[in-house]
Amino acid sequence: MSEDSGQIDHVFHERRKFAPPAEFTKRSVVSSQDQYAELCQRATENRDEFWKAEAEEHLHWFEPFDSVCEFNAPDVKWFDGGKTNASYNCLDKHVEEGRGNRTAIIWEGEPGDTRSLTYAELRKEVAKCAEAMLELGVGAGDVVSIYMPMTPELAIAMLGCARIGAVHSVIFAGFSAESIADRNNDAKAKLVITSDGLHRRGKVLPLKETVDEALAKSPTVEKCLVLRRIGNSDTPMTEGRDHWWHDVVDKQQGELHAAPMDSEAPLFILYTSGSTGKPKGILHTTAGYNLWAKRTFQWVFDHREDDIYWCTADCGWITGHSYIVYGPLSAGATCLIYEGAPNFPAENRFWELVEKYRVTILYTAPTAIRAFIKWGDEHVEKHDLSSLRLLGSVGEGINPETWIWYHEKIGGSKCPIVDTWWQTETGGIMMSPLPGITATKPGSCTFPLPGVVPKIVDELGGDVDDQHGGMLCIAQPWPGMLRGIWGDHQRFVQQYWTTVPGMYLTGDNARRDRDGYYWIMGRIDDVINVSGHRLSTIEVESTLVSHDCVCEAAVVGRPHELKGQAISAFVTIKDAEPTEELRQELKQYVRKQIGALAQPDDIRFAESLPKTRSGKIMRRLLRDVASGREVAGDTSTLEDLSVLAKLADEEA
Ligand code: WTA
């Protein structure tokens, strides 16, 4: 932990505390400590009874379930025997209950085009998309890869899959052709849904070309459905395989009913980086996930009828799944979706949107907040942000100074901040303040939600002094928990359930202070967090080593003002000179293989990599080197890191 301890100590000495505004408490969904304590007690002590009532009240059941929770670690079944449908819960339920005219989605594209859909309209579009998928030969259990810009059609495609029981696998539209092909092949995807392109910072990126490159290596994919987003007339279309959305979706009736699905039927796969090798497909199933997304949304965001809720995430990540699509729509919320960059055409775009649509709840990431701070307060001050009543943060720890800026400049010192800790694997928020009752401490995700039982343990699974900190585990099953890694049960068991038997290992370190507040202290493993996105250092290393000129590579994270962590690579080379050209070539190579997110910020050439006597790369040492000084243009010489290694060895 030593490499991070400076920041942690800093965070841990944070003494400021912010009480929930009284006005807020009066009306909130969870409005007293007693109510919270009672929810937690019932959810843990009478788990089945509690979740039975929750599921019956909050989901629609075509057929009732027989049991609530069957847990035989690591396997779990929630609401077994029941039949429901996530698209029904998000759409039909509202239409049936007379809320069809409520606005579901308000959308704005980067160029300024807009669209708005009521729940009834959204249901129709989703049904049409589902009908088109059936026509293209997709059925229940088939996997559909979705590689699209943040248009309403992205949410429509996800819900369209859910409607017929197809399993979606959304791939963030910044990933490379290689990454798409890997995911298509791992999941055995049958259909890919994409668009002719996307708008990003005023430029147009041609997505379909990238998909074509991926499809050349994706033998299981039979069809490709293409949305016209940018009107690119020379989009390549392969006869028989590729179909325009406006040809096959628009002509449908839009009357298809939602298929009753087993509670444990797969709803989606989402690929995320683990500590080793290739990204893994995290599997979530229907009923438990849906319930968890809905209830955590209602508890944490204190949702009210008149809210305009905006989550700035992309549906390519879990935050977009749970808090743009399944959570808010199940709760009947009105959601703003914005397609583009926060600084296009200017650095005030987000605040312009908040003012224009009178956004009341804003959920964003620390990396974005740090960028706003850097861009300057003047972009914020131009706008009337008085509609905001609640702010959220997700993706990485928020450092106290960033928290304070968010609180004062965006929230006008009146909005509570919910710092939500969770993971792709957990399906939804696990720890967070509840805005009506929790006094917040900047940098702490505060307390667990009802039904979440965190436990901090040492490497052997033994109890530790909470204040000292240790590995964060979850000791009881919760409805939104992952059900597995797609096609790799062994890895699922190994990764999450072996280190501490019987408990879910989160991969994060945490500490609990004297008041019982939780503080997340970063990862235990070799996962780094770049702009709130998980990347495995080993994935980047393997890619570098696959380049002809690279013998060995070590990748570490170093602190970065905006991104949280930047990627530093150390490589030893063969048959090549350590030139600036080679450095650029390697950066582009990683970008092409994995995607722009994974491109190393700096690459150092080394004579050899520092290793322990047992041959393990001394990452801690490399982290020190990486964070110690900026890479200047003159580092094309080879660094002799073995000297450092020797010094470190002597110290040890
Ligand atoms: C980190 C994103 C501190 C953590 C929802 C976790 C956080 C990983 C927070 C999951 C937070 C996420 N405070 N750390 N509020 N939120 N993290 O799967 O290390 O993309 O394990 O899910 O992000 O990232 P993932």
Side-chain angles (χ1 to χ4, degrees):
M1 274 287 46
S2 74
E3 62 274 11
D4 296 325
S5 59
Q7 196 203 341
I8 288 156
D9 286 346
H10 172 63
V11 167
F12 209 54
H13 292 136
E14 180 62 49
R15 301 239 181 276
R16 286 170 285 197
K17 222 171 165 178
F18 294 79
E23 165 52 25
F24 217 96
T25 309
K26 271 191 251 154
R27 289 184 53 189
S28 62
V29 171
V30 180
S31 59
S32 71
Q33 285 296 345
D34 288 350
Q35 189 192 351
Y36 168 70
E38 193 222 305
L39 282 171
C40 291
Q41 192 191 9
R42 282 177 36 225
T44 43
E45 287 170 22
N46 300 317
R47 184 181 71 200
D48 284 13
E49 204 179 290
F50 178 81
W51 288 113
K52 178 174 186 284
E54 287 282 317
E56 282 170 354
E57 182 181 346
H58 292 283
L59 299 181
H60 166 82
W61 294 96
F62 295 100
E63 279 175 36
F65 46 88
D66 307 318
S67 63
V68 178
C69 175
E70 289 168 42
F71 183 51
N72 188 2
D75 300 313
V76 72
K77 280 186 186 158
W78 282 92
F79 314 116
D80 198 34
K83 286 194 194 290
T84 182
N85 182 295
S87 139
Y88 189 101
N89 292 318
C90 290
L91 306 167
D92 304 61
K93 196 168 188 307
H94 306 304
V95 178
E96 302 299 320
E97 292 170 9
R99 294 187 298 274
N101 290 331
R102 267 183 73 78
T103 304
I105 292 177
I106 304 170
W107 174 80
E108 183 161 321
E110 194 184 78
D113 42 346
T114 59
R115 193 172 164 197
S116 148
L117 291 148
T118 64
Y119 274 90
E121 288 163 345
L122 184 61
R123 175 172 75 164
K124 184 145 190 166
E125 294 305 314
V126 167
K128 282 193 203 168
C129 177
E131 287 158 9
M133 281 194 262
L134 291 177
E135 193 177 305
L136 294 174
V138 175
D142 288 336
V143 176
V144 176
S145 293
I146 303 178
Y147 184 74
M148 291 176 88
M150 280 297 286
T151 50
E153 286 83 358
L154 172 46
I156 290 168
M158 291 165 71
L159 291 164
C161 288
R163 201 160 187 84
I164 58 173
V167 183
H168 59 73
S169 162
V170 183
I171 304 169
F172 174 64
F175 278 116
S176 66
E178 285 295 327
S179 297
I180 305 170
D182 284 348
R183 286 158 173 76
N184 283 344
N185 291 327
D186 187 75
K188 302 197 174 53
K190 200 166 173 187
L191 171 73
V192 173
I193 309 184
T194 186
S195 72
D196 56 350
L198 64 75
H199 296 278
R200 192 71 188 173
R201 264 186 211 104
K203 292 207 195 91
V204 159
L205 304 181
L207 290 192
K208 179 63 171 40
E209 272 90 334
T210 310
V211 168
D212 277 355
E213 214 182 309
L215 291 188
K217 297 178 205 159
S218 311
T220 61
V221 176
E222 293 166 13
K223 301 278 182 191
C224 181
L225 181 59
V226 189
L227 175 76
R228 178 167 285 160
R229 168 68 189 120
I230 56 172
N232 183 2
S233 58
D234 47 3
T235 301
M237 295 290 280
T238 301
E239 184 78 43
R241 185 194 69 187
D242 302 347
H243 301 267
W244 285 107
W245 181 289
H246 53 261
D247 287 339
V248 291
V249 178
D250 291 357
K251 67 171 189 198
Q252 307 291 339
Q253 299 298 312
E255 278 159 14
L256 185 77
H257 290 296
M261 300 304 299
D262 286 338
S263 291
E264 285 297 338
L267 179 62
F268 66 85
I269 315 169
L270 184 60
Y271 284 86
T272 186
S273 294
S275 54
T276 52
K278 293 239 180 247
K280 51 198 177 183
I282 301 299
L283 171 66
H284 284 288
T285 56
T286 304
Y289 168 82
N290 196 166
L291 182 64
W292 190 247
K294 178 177 180 180
R295 295 302 283 145
T296 53
F297 173 78
Q298 292 172 321
W299 288 329
V300 173
F301 295 104
D302 187 44
H303 178 247
R304 300 172 189 171
E305 282 275 299
D306 53 357
D307 274 319
I308 305 289
Y309 163 82
W310 182 22
C311 167
T312 70
D314 189 288
C315 283
W317 314 110
I318 191 67
T319 306
H321 284 62
S322 304
Y323 298 108
I324 292 179
V325 179
Y326 293 108
L329 295 180
S330 295
T334 297
C335 308
L336 174 65
I337 298 181
Y338 168 59
E339 177 190 38
N343 55 350
F344 189 82
E347 287 79 0
N348 65 334
R349 185 66 186 267
F350 270 26
W351 317 120
E352 192 180 84
L353 287 164
V354 169
E355 180 173 0
K356 178 171 171 188
Y357 294 105
R358 307 297 295 157
V359 172
T360 59
I361 305 173
L362 176 71
Y363 191 28
T364 193
T367 185
I369 304 168
R370 289 191 297 263
F372 298 133
I373 296 176
K374 187 165 170 231
W375 292 337
D377 294 359
E378 65 272 21
H379 302 293
V380 179
E381 285 160 1
K382 284 204 274 235
H383 296 280
D384 172 10
L385 307 182
S386 60
S387 57
L388 288 170
R389 67 177 190 95
L390 176 60
L391 304 173
S393 172
V394 62
E396 61 182 305
I398 177 167
N399 69 42
E401 296 325 311
T402 308
W403 194 104
I404 296 289
W405 186 89
Y406 195 30
H407 180 70
E408 290 176 355
K409 298 289 175 196
I410 306 303
S413 302
K414 71 176 181 14
C415 305
I417 296 180
V418 288
D419 175 357
T420 62
W421 173 82
W422 58 295
Q423 311 177 292
T424 304
E425 292 86 340
T426 66
I429 298 168
M430 300 292 276
M431 292 203 246
S432 169
L434 294 177
I437 59 163
T438 312
T440 50
K441 296 188 186 186
S444 165
C445 60
T446 72
F447 304 108
L449 295 185
V452 175
V453 184
K455 208 162 161 39
I456 297 173
V457 301
D458 64 18
E459 275 80 8
L460 302 170
D463 283 344
V464 293
D465 169 6
D466 278 356
Q467 289 176 43
H468 175 73
M471 301 191 300
L472 177 64
C473 293
I474 310 292
Q476 291 288 326
W478 67 102
M481 67 200 286
L482 80 165
R483 299 299 195 269
I485 295 178
W486 191 254
D488 199 344
H489 189 72
Q490 188 53 40
R491 188 168 171 198
F492 170 59
V493 174
Q494 182 61 37
Q495 182 108 30
Y496 304 106
W497 300 94
T498 303
T499 316
V500 187
M503 280 196 237
Y504 167 75
L505 181 76
T506 66
D508 283 339
N509 277 309
R511 219 157 150 180
R512 211 161 80 107
D513 70 16
R514 283 189 189 83
D515 304 327
Y517 283 66
Y518 285 85
W519 301 77
I520 304 295
M521 294 149 61
R523 301 284 306 187
I524 312 168
D525 50 23
D526 292 325
V527 171
I528 50 180
N529 192 324
V530 181
S531 305
H533 302 309
R534 277 160 71 170
L535 274 171
S536 137
T537 52
I538 292 154
E539 197 183 339
V540 182
E541 284 166 7
S542 311
T543 303
L544 282 167
V545 172
S546 73
H547 187 281
D548 286 344
C549 299
V550 176
C551 294
E552 214 177 11
V555 167
V556 295
R558 66 167 165 84
H560 185 278
E561 193 196 345
L562 294 179
K563 302 196 226 181
Q565 282 189 297
I567 306 174
S568 282
F570 296 80
V571 296
T572 61
I573 51 178
K574 60 190 172 198
D575 307 329
E577 292 300 316
T579 59
E580 188 54 33
E581 285 74 52
L582 179 61
R583 180 177 292 121
Q584 290 311 325
E585 184 182 324
L586 293 176
K587 286 187 181 180
Q588 288 305 320
Y589 181 73
V590 176
R591 187 188 182 98
K592 175 116 186 41
Q593 296 291 317
I594 309 179
L597 266 182
Q599 177 178 317
D601 294 85
D602 37 67
I603 296 185
R604 289 174 170 77
F605 297 111
E607 289 280 0
S608 61
L609 297 178
K611 294 197 182 141
T612 60
R613 292 209 177 91
S614 64
K616 273 188 140 184
I617 291 174
M618 300 166 85
R619 290 165 184 283
R620 183 157 302 179
L621 196 69
L622 293 179
R623 274 194 281 262
D624 290 345
V625 176
S627 52
R629 66 194 141 92
E630 281 302 309
V631 212
D634 67 357
T635 43
S636 54
T637 49
L638 294 175
E639 292 193 56
D640 187 5
L641 295 170
S642 59
V643 177
L644 279 173
K646 274 183 204 123
L647 285 174
D649 244 13
E650 276 161 26
E651 274 173 28

